[in-house]
Amino acid sequence: MDWEQLLSTKRSRGASGKAKYARSADLRSEFEKDYHRIIGSASFRRLQDKTQVFPLDKSDFIRTRLTHSLEVSSFAKSLGQNIGENILAYKRDPGFTPRMKEDICNILQCAGLIHDIGNPPFGHFGETSIREWFVRNLPVMSYHGRPLEEALTPQMREDFYHFEGNAQALRLVTKLHFLVDEQGMNLTYALLNTIVKYPVASTQINKGSGNIKDKKMGYYYADAEIFEEIQKETGTNGSRHPLAFILEAADDIAYKTADIEDAFVKGFLTYHKLLEELQELQQTYVLDEKAFRPADKLEELYARGRERHVGNPEEYAIKNWIVRVQGFLINCATFGFTSNYGAIMSGEYKYDLFHRTFAERLMDLLGDLAYREVFTSESIYRMEVAEAAMIDFLMDKFVTAIIQYDDGKERRGSIDLRMVSFISGNYKKAYHFHAKGKTDEERLYLRLLLVTDYVCGMTDSYAKRLYQELRAMI
């Protein structure tokens, strides 16, 4: 892979790569234009009312999908600056230019903003609820006398059984976000390929392959054509785009450190519990004298807080420690990319950027600690059970209503007609556009996607309100 092709400015509609640096009255690069398209979009604004960890939280401090995405965007851009400068300084690639460094920073900044834009309400548990709904219901629901499961091709079925927010993000920005027409936001192909963490179809998932790109699906059957066009234009051809590794690292840094801070603020995690876990990690991993020592740093910051007579030295220590850890992890990810530069650019690198480092151990600890102290707590379980009930109800109602919509044989009841009327007109317009000339099974598949498109576009508050209204719980 080479950067000239990887940084393609091609769009589905207009702006070819040949015009990358063309003179015009608008002095912004194509990637800077992407940024403004994203910031001004309703889909991006809705992230302010979508769960990161704590749904419908009344605290102004706790993170939402919007604040998380802003943090990922910031970390991704910082990593782009570090890595781009390293490539230039050490002449790792003779074709890499200062302008390319600027471009990758702009792409990564945009990618951070939209990497979660396809996620449904109620966080990752919303994804799980949708997947499990399809697993339970596709085999038992029927379409003109046939089980829904049998009316779909294997890849169509697997798309629903492995429903994934990452694939939904690509779908949203390329087809569903109606800006001018059915091309979605019409973003550059370099940016679109950066958000594809898993460049495989649902039938190609292989968690045992040892290659990180095979863990989940990255695109739906419905979006295979645009995915293949993006891959061909950018020259990745089945491999991850190099910037996808950087985006993933930024995402990991953001959520694993933020979950610890939010857990402390919400009272799930104490200073002493965090210190105890970090001390155990430090004792089991041999570090050289100059290495970052997370437990020692936490204690040092606590002592500083007490010396300065701050009101809550434990809070002072943890919040300042989070900042220090983020800086350390950014340096580690920079090293992970630059030290594996050849393998990444040839498409042979199989791991994340923290692989086999102390940073990997620290990241694993932070993730495991959040899981044990927060995600398996009774209060979170109670919220997730309530969320699942809402998702299940909405899926039941909308899928039942949509199955025979636009199939030429429809005999729908009055309630089904009204349920379909609730679905966004833009989403229905996109459905009709892409359903033209398709087979019956393809149109059925697109109708099921129309439901997940609509549900994923909901904010937490809207999903809850619609559920309550339909259940007459006002």
Side-chain angles (χ1 to χ4, degrees):
M1 293 182 279
D2 69 89
W3 287 109
E4 184 66 33
Q5 190 172 7
L6 288 167
L7 302 180
S8 170
T9 57
K10 183 176 179 181
R11 304 177 189 273
S12 292
R13 171 178 25 82
S16 69
K18 294 179 181 178
K20 185 182 292 189
Y21 306 124
R23 289 177 176 271
S24 73
D26 189 344
L27 300 180
R28 298 173 300 169
S29 73
E30 292 300 319
F31 307 121
E32 289 170 318
K33 292 175 186 177
D34 281 344
Y35 179 84
H36 294 287
R37 292 179 185 216
I38 295 164
I39 288 291
S41 71
S43 302
F44 179 68
R45 289 196 298 277
R46 289 191 193 102
L47 295 175
Q48 68 186 310
D49 189 16
K50 287 197 174 188
T51 295
Q52 179 61 21
V53 175
F54 302 97
L56 303 170
D57 195 88
K58 294 181 174 61
S59 168
D60 291 335
F61 178 84
I62 300 303
R63 289 165 173 84
T64 63
R65 283 283 177 198
L66 178 63
T67 51
H68 167 70
S69 296
L70 291 169
E71 289 174 338
V72 174
S73 176
S74 175
F75 290 144
K77 184 175 182 179
S78 295
L79 280 167
Q81 290 170 329
N82 286 359
I83 290 168
E85 190 58 38
N86 183 283
I87 296 170
L88 289 170
Y90 292 94
K91 297 180 173 56
R92 296 184 186 277
D93 192 325
F96 192 81
T97 66
R99 181 58 187 257
M100 289 177 175
K101 173 193 167 185
E102 182 180 337
D103 286 344
I104 68 172
C105 289
N106 288 326
I107 292 168
L108 287 165
Q109 183 179 31
C110 292
L113 296 179
I114 61 172
H115 79 287
D116 275 349
I117 205 166
N119 281 49
F122 310 127
H124 288 298
F125 193 72
E127 288 178 281
T128 300
S129 297
I130 292 172
R131 278 195 295 268
E132 292 181 351
W133 187 92
F134 280 115
V135 170
R136 289 195 309 272
N137 289 280
L138 279 191
V140 298
M141 296 184 76
S142 63
Y143 176 66
H144 296 311
R146 297 174 63 196
L148 270 180
E149 188 179 48
E150 295 178 10
L152 302 173
T153 68
Q155 185 174 348
M156 292 175 186
R157 285 198 307 270
E158 293 304 310
D159 280 1
F160 296 117
Y161 292 161
H162 294 92
F163 170 81
E164 180 61 46
N166 290 291
Q168 189 67 27
L170 179 66
R171 178 168 175 76
L172 174 66
V173 298
T174 58
K175 292 183 177 177
L176 303 180
H177 183 91
F178 196 92
L179 190 64
V180 176
D181 54 24
E182 293 79 9
Q183 308 298 335
M185 291 187 190
N186 197 35
L187 302 173
T188 58
Y189 283 8
L191 171 56
L192 293 176
N193 210 355
T194 297
I195 66 170
V196 180
K197 290 172 66 176
Y198 311 103
V200 297
S202 57
T203 51
Q204 298 169 321
I205 296 170
N206 184 359
K207 296 182 180 180
S209 73
N211 195 324
I212 196 169
K213 75 178 183 67
D214 301 330
K215 283 174 55 178
K216 301 177 182 179
M217 73 167 175
Y219 62 94
Y220 297 118
Y221 168 79
D223 308 316
E225 186 176 340
I226 183 65
F227 170 76
E228 293 299 337
E229 187 176 334
I230 292 166
Q231 291 262 298
K232 182 179 179 181
E233 174 66 24
T234 55
T236 51
N237 300 318
S239 299
R240 264 188 171 186
H241 193 292
L243 298 186
F245 289 96
I246 302 175
L247 176 63
E248 179 181 51
D251 188 20
D252 289 347
I253 293 170
Y255 85 80
K256 289 197 174 181
T257 56
D259 286 357
I260 295 298
E261 185 176 16
D262 287 355
F264 173 79
V265 170
K266 293 287 290 183
F268 286 91
L269 180 67
T270 67
Y271 164 84
H272 296 289
K273 177 63 175 175
L274 177 60
L275 178 61
E276 176 187 329
E277 297 273 347
L278 293 173
Q279 286 173 332
E280 184 176 344
L281 174 66
Q282 239 176 236
Q283 291 167 3
T284 57
Y285 195 96
V286 179
L287 297 167
D288 63 44
E289 293 182 1
K290 296 181 180 180
F292 178 78
R293 299 173 183 272
D296 295 351
K297 179 57 69 175
L298 184 61
E299 286 187 296
E300 175 191 322
L301 290 167
Y302 176 79
R304 183 184 301 172
R306 296 200 61 175
E307 288 171 7
R308 296 181 178 181
H309 304 290
V310 300
N312 188 337
E314 294 179 356
E315 181 180 26
Y316 174 89
I318 287 182
K319 289 187 175 181
N320 280 278
W321 181 83
I322 291 292
V323 175
R324 303 302 196 284
V325 168
Q326 288 169 345
F328 165 70
L329 293 173
I330 286 173
N331 289 336
C332 291
T334 300
F335 176 79
F337 190 95
T338 55
S339 62
N340 294 289
Y341 184 76
I344 290 171
M345 295 300 290
S346 66
E348 297 172 357
Y349 191 66
K350 300 179 180 180
Y351 313 102
D352 65 36
L353 299 185
F354 303 105
H355 181 60
R356 291 183 176 175
T357 66
F358 177 65
E360 181 180 42
R361 298 285 189 91
L362 178 59
M363 296 280 272
D364 287 345
L365 170 65
L366 298 180
D368 182 59
L369 187 57
Y371 177 78
R372 286 185 278 117
E373 300 298 317
V374 181
F375 297 111
T376 58
S377 64
E378 182 179 343
S379 58
I380 293 294
Y381 278 169
R382 284 179 179 275
M383 286 190 286
E384 289 178 341
V385 169
E387 292 158 11
M390 287 186 265
I391 292 286
D392 284 356
F393 177 82
L394 294 174
M395 292 294 293
D396 286 343
K397 289 293 184 182
F398 282 107
V399 171
T400 300
I402 209 72
I403 287 176
Q404 289 186 269
Y405 170 70
D406 186 46
D407 75 343
K409 307 170 187 176
E410 52 189 308
R411 289 182 174 81
R412 294 180 292 148
S414 58
I415 296 299
D416 289 347
L417 288 168
R418 285 159 177 76
M419 292 299 298
V420 172
S421 75
F422 297 156
I423 298 176
S424 162
N426 284 341
Y427 288 178
K428 285 186 284 192
K429 187 182 294 185
Y431 160 76
H432 286 292
F433 178 83
H434 294 290
K436 287 178 183 176
K438 295 293 193 296
T439 64
D440 286 347
E441 65 185 12
E442 287 174 319
R443 289 166 63 203
L444 171 61
Y445 164 76
L446 290 174
R447 290 198 293 276
L448 293 174
L449 274 183
L450 178 56
V451 174
T452 55
D453 291 341
Y454 180 52
V455 171
C456 286
M458 296 180 183
T459 62
D460 292 9
S461 296
Y462 179 77
K464 180 181 178 181
R465 185 168 66 251
L466 183 60
Y467 168 79
Q468 291 174 329
E469 289 173 354
L470 296 179
R471 293 293 300 261
M473 295 169 61
I474 303 173

PDB file of all heavy atoms in Angstrom, residues 365-381:
ATOM      1  N   LEU A 365      -5.879  -4.525  32.078  1.00  0.00           N
ATOM      2  CA  LEU A 365      -6.277  -4.336  33.472  1.00  0.00           C
ATOM      3  C   LEU A 365      -7.409  -3.317  33.587  1.00  0.00           C
ATOM      4  O   LEU A 365      -8.399  -3.544  34.303  1.00  0.00           O
ATOM      5  CB  LEU A 365      -5.081  -3.878  34.314  1.00  0.00           C
ATOM      6  CG  LEU A 365      -5.435  -3.419  35.737  1.00  0.00           C
ATOM      7  CD1 LEU A 365      -5.982  -4.580  36.551  1.00  0.00           C
ATOM      8  CD2 LEU A 365      -4.236  -2.798  36.423  1.00  0.00           C
ATOM      9  N   LEU A 366      -7.270  -2.194  32.911  1.00  0.00           N
ATOM     10  CA  LEU A 366      -8.297  -1.158  32.992  1.00  0.00           C
ATOM     11  C   LEU A 366      -9.633  -1.674  32.473  1.00  0.00           C
ATOM     12  O   LEU A 366     -10.685  -1.412  33.074  1.00  0.00           O
ATOM     13  CB  LEU A 366      -7.864   0.083  32.204  1.00  0.00           C
ATOM     14  CG  LEU A 366      -6.598   0.790  32.694  1.00  0.00           C
ATOM     15  CD1 LEU A 366      -6.290   2.000  31.818  1.00  0.00           C
ATOM     16  CD2 LEU A 366      -6.722   1.214  34.152  1.00  0.00           C
ATOM     17  N   GLY A 367      -9.604  -2.416  31.360  1.00  0.00           N
ATOM     18  CA  GLY A 367     -10.834  -2.976  30.819  1.00  0.00           C
ATOM     19  C   GLY A 367     -11.459  -3.998  31.758  1.00  0.00           C
ATOM     20  O   GLY A 367     -12.673  -3.993  31.980  1.00  0.00           O
ATOM     21  N   ASP A 368     -10.629  -4.867  32.321  1.00  0.00           N
ATOM     22  CA  ASP A 368     -11.119  -5.897  33.228  1.00  0.00           C
ATOM     23  C   ASP A 368     -11.661  -5.284  34.517  1.00  0.00           C
ATOM     24  O   ASP A 368     -12.686  -5.718  35.050  1.00  0.00           O
ATOM     25  CB  ASP A 368      -9.985  -6.878  33.548  1.00  0.00           C
ATOM     26  CG  ASP A 368     -10.442  -8.010  34.448  1.00  0.00           C
ATOM     27  OD1 ASP A 368     -11.365  -8.742  34.045  1.00  0.00           O
ATOM     28  OD2 ASP A 368      -9.888  -8.158  35.559  1.00  0.00           O
ATOM     29  N   LEU A 369     -10.990  -4.246  35.004  1.00  0.00           N
ATOM     30  CA  LEU A 369     -11.423  -3.575  36.230  1.00  0.00           C
ATOM     31  C   LEU A 369     -12.786  -2.921  36.031  1.00  0.00           C
ATOM     32  O   LEU A 369     -13.677  -3.022  36.891  1.00  0.00           O
ATOM     33  CB  LEU A 369     -10.370  -2.542  36.637  1.00  0.00           C
ATOM     34  CG  LEU A 369     -10.555  -1.834  37.983  1.00  0.00           C
ATOM     35  CD1 LEU A 369     -10.631  -2.843  39.120  1.00  0.00           C
ATOM     36  CD2 LEU A 369      -9.415  -0.849  38.214  1.00  0.00           C
ATOM     37  N   ALA A 370     -12.964  -2.245  34.914  1.00  0.00           N
ATOM     38  CA  ALA A 370     -14.260  -1.624  34.621  1.00  0.00           C
ATOM     39  C   ALA A 370     -15.347  -2.682  34.502  1.00  0.00           C
ATOM     40  O   ALA A 370     -16.471  -2.496  34.982  1.00  0.00           O
ATOM     41  CB  ALA A 370     -14.169  -0.805  33.337  1.00  0.00           C
ATOM     42  N   TYR A 371     -15.002  -3.811  33.884  1.00  0.00           N
ATOM     43  CA  TYR A 371     -15.985  -4.893  33.745  1.00  0.00           C
ATOM     44  C   TYR A 371     -16.410  -5.422  35.109  1.00  0.00           C
ATOM     45  O   TYR A 371     -17.606  -5.575  35.387  1.00  0.00           O
ATOM     46  CB  TYR A 371     -15.393  -6.024  32.902  1.00  0.00           C
ATOM     47  CG  TYR A 371     -16.305  -7.221  32.774  1.00  0.00           C
ATOM     48  CD1 TYR A 371     -17.382  -7.206  31.886  1.00  0.00           C
ATOM     49  CD2 TYR A 371     -16.104  -8.359  33.554  1.00  0.00           C
ATOM     50  CE1 TYR A 371     -18.236  -8.292  31.773  1.00  0.00           C
ATOM     51  CE2 TYR A 371     -16.957  -9.457  33.455  1.00  0.00           C
ATOM     52  CZ  TYR A 371     -18.021  -9.417  32.563  1.00  0.00           C
ATOM     53  OH  TYR A 371     -18.871 -10.496  32.473  1.00  0.00           O
ATOM     54  N   ARG A 372     -15.430  -5.687  35.968  1.00  0.00           N
ATOM     55  CA  ARG A 372     -15.738  -6.273  37.275  1.00  0.00           C
ATOM     56  C   ARG A 372     -16.462  -5.314  38.206  1.00  0.00           C
ATOM     57  O   ARG A 372     -17.378  -5.695  38.941  1.00  0.00           O
ATOM     58  CB  ARG A 372     -14.447  -6.746  37.948  1.00  0.00           C
ATOM     59  CG  ARG A 372     -13.867  -8.013  37.337  1.00  0.00           C
ATOM     60  CD  ARG A 372     -12.654  -8.511  38.113  1.00  0.00           C
ATOM     61  NE  ARG A 372     -11.439  -7.805  37.736  1.00  0.00           N
ATOM     62  CZ  ARG A 372     -10.722  -7.048  38.545  1.00  0.00           C
ATOM     63  NH1 ARG A 372     -11.122  -6.854  39.792  1.00  0.00           N
ATOM     64  NH2 ARG A 372      -9.610  -6.461  38.124  1.00  0.00           N
ATOM     65  N   GLU A 373     -16.066  -4.045  38.179  1.00  0.00           N
ATOM     66  CA  GLU A 373     -16.598  -3.086  39.143  1.00  0.00           C
ATOM     67  C   GLU A 373     -17.846  -2.350  38.646  1.00  0.00           C
ATOM     68  O   GLU A 373     -18.618  -1.846  39.452  1.00  0.00           O
ATOM     69  CB  GLU A 373     -15.521  -2.060  39.506  1.00  0.00           C
ATOM     70  CG  GLU A 373     -14.270  -2.661  40.129  1.00  0.00           C
ATOM     71  CD  GLU A 373     -14.549  -3.367  41.448  1.00  0.00           C
ATOM     72  OE1 GLU A 373     -15.325  -2.816  42.271  1.00  0.00           O
ATOM     73  OE2 GLU A 373     -13.997  -4.465  41.668  1.00  0.00           O
ATOM     74  N   VAL A 374     -18.002  -2.269  37.322  1.00  0.00           N
ATOM     75  CA  VAL A 374     -19.122  -1.488  36.780  1.00  0.00           C
ATOM     76  C   VAL A 374     -20.101  -2.359  36.000  1.00  0.00           C
ATOM     77  O   VAL A 374     -21.278  -2.454  36.333  1.00  0.00           O
ATOM     78  CB  VAL A 374     -18.610  -0.343  35.863  1.00  0.00           C
ATOM     79  CG1 VAL A 374     -19.789   0.478  35.331  1.00  0.00           C
ATOM     80  CG2 VAL A 374     -17.633   0.546  36.607  1.00  0.00           C
ATOM     81  N   PHE A 375     -19.623  -3.002  34.949  1.00  0.00           N
ATOM     82  CA  PHE A 375     -20.522  -3.649  33.996  1.00  0.00           C
ATOM     83  C   PHE A 375     -21.239  -4.871  34.557  1.00  0.00           C
ATOM     84  O   PHE A 375     -22.257  -5.290  33.996  1.00  0.00           O
ATOM     85  CB  PHE A 375     -19.759  -4.019  32.724  1.00  0.00           C
ATOM     86  CG  PHE A 375     -19.218  -2.815  31.993  1.00  0.00           C
ATOM     87  CD1 PHE A 375     -17.861  -2.569  31.943  1.00  0.00           C
ATOM     88  CD2 PHE A 375     -20.071  -1.916  31.379  1.00  0.00           C
ATOM     89  CE1 PHE A 375     -17.356  -1.467  31.286  1.00  0.00           C
ATOM     90  CE2 PHE A 375     -19.584  -0.806  30.720  1.00  0.00           C
ATOM     91  CZ  PHE A 375     -18.216  -0.571  30.673  1.00  0.00           C
ATOM     92  N   THR A 376     -20.723  -5.460  35.616  1.00  0.00           N
ATOM     93  CA  THR A 376     -21.413  -6.602  36.223  1.00  0.00           C
ATOM     94  C   THR A 376     -22.105  -6.216  37.527  1.00  0.00           C
ATOM     95  O   THR A 376     -22.509  -7.083  38.292  1.00  0.00           O
ATOM     96  CB  THR A 376     -20.422  -7.756  36.490  1.00  0.00           C
ATOM     97  OG1 THR A 376     -19.370  -7.288  37.349  1.00  0.00           O
ATOM     98  CG2 THR A 376     -19.831  -8.291  35.201  1.00  0.00           C
ATOM     99  N   SER A 377     -22.247  -4.925  37.768  1.00  0.00           N
ATOM    100  CA  SER A 377     -22.921  -4.470  38.982  1.00  0.00           C
ATOM    101  C   SER A 377     -24.435  -4.597  38.828  1.00  0.00           C
ATOM    102  O   SER A 377     -24.968  -4.582  37.704  1.00  0.00           O
ATOM    103  CB  SER A 377     -22.557  -3.014  39.284  1.00  0.00           C
ATOM    104  OG  SER A 377     -23.036  -2.170  38.250  1.00  0.00           O
ATOM    105  N   GLU A 378     -25.134  -4.690  39.942  1.00  0.00           N
ATOM    106  CA  GLU A 378     -26.588  -4.860  39.899  1.00  0.00           C
ATOM    107  C   GLU A 378     -27.272  -3.669  39.242  1.00  0.00           C
ATOM    108  O   GLU A 378     -28.226  -3.838  38.466  1.00  0.00           O
ATOM    109  CB  GLU A 378     -27.144  -5.043  41.315  1.00  0.00           C
ATOM    110  CG  GLU A 378     -28.657  -5.267  41.329  1.00  0.00           C
ATOM    111  CD  GLU A 378     -29.209  -5.466  42.722  1.00  0.00           C
ATOM    112  OE1 GLU A 378     -28.423  -5.745  43.640  1.00  0.00           O
ATOM    113  OE2 GLU A 378     -30.444  -5.322  42.887  1.00  0.00           O
ATOM    114  N   SER A 379     -26.793  -2.458  39.517  1.00  0.00           N
ATOM    115  CA  SER A 379     -27.451  -1.280  38.950  1.00  0.00           C
ATOM    116  C   SER A 379     -27.330  -1.253  37.428  1.00  0.00           C
ATOM    117  O   SER A 379     -28.289  -0.883  36.727  1.00  0.00           O
ATOM    118  CB  SER A 379     -26.856  -0.002  39.547  1.00  0.00           C
ATOM    119  OG  SER A 379     -25.467   0.072  39.306  1.00  0.00           O
ATOM    120  N   ILE A 380     -26.173  -1.648  36.902  1.00  0.00           N
ATOM    121  CA  ILE A 380     -26.019  -1.704  35.443  1.00  0.00           C
ATOM    122  C   ILE A 380     -26.877  -2.820  34.862  1.00  0.00           C
ATOM    123  O   ILE A 380     -27.522  -2.649  33.814  1.00  0.00           O
ATOM    124  CB  ILE A 380     -24.540  -1.894  35.050  1.00  0.00           C
ATOM    125  CG1 ILE A 380     -23.728  -0.651  35.418  1.00  0.00           C
ATOM    126  CG2 ILE A 380     -24.404  -2.199  33.566  1.00  0.00           C
ATOM    127  CD1 ILE A 380     -24.098   0.599  34.647  1.00  0.00           C
ATOM    128  N   TYR A 381     -26.900  -3.966  35.524  1.00  0.00           N
ATOM    129  CA  TYR A 381     -27.746  -5.061  35.049  1.00  0.00           C
ATOM    130  C   TYR A 381     -29.221  -4.643  35.000  1.00  0.00           C
ATOM    131  O   TYR A 381     -29.952  -4.986  34.059  1.00  0.00           O
ATOM    132  CB  TYR A 381     -27.586  -6.284  35.954  1.00  0.00           C
ATOM    133  CG  TYR A 381     -26.387  -7.155  35.656  1.00  0.00           C
ATOM    134  CD1 TYR A 381     -26.002  -8.159  36.532  1.00  0.00           C
ATOM    135  CD2 TYR A 381     -25.638  -6.978  34.499  1.00  0.00           C
ATOM    136  CE1 TYR A 381     -24.906  -8.972  36.273  1.00  0.00           C
ATOM    137  CE2 TYR A 381     -24.542  -7.778  34.228  1.00  0.00           C
ATOM    138  CZ  TYR A 381     -24.175  -8.768  35.114  1.00  0.00           C
ATOM    139  OH  TYR A 381     -23.091  -9.573  34.848  1.00  0.00           O
TER     140      TYR A 381
END
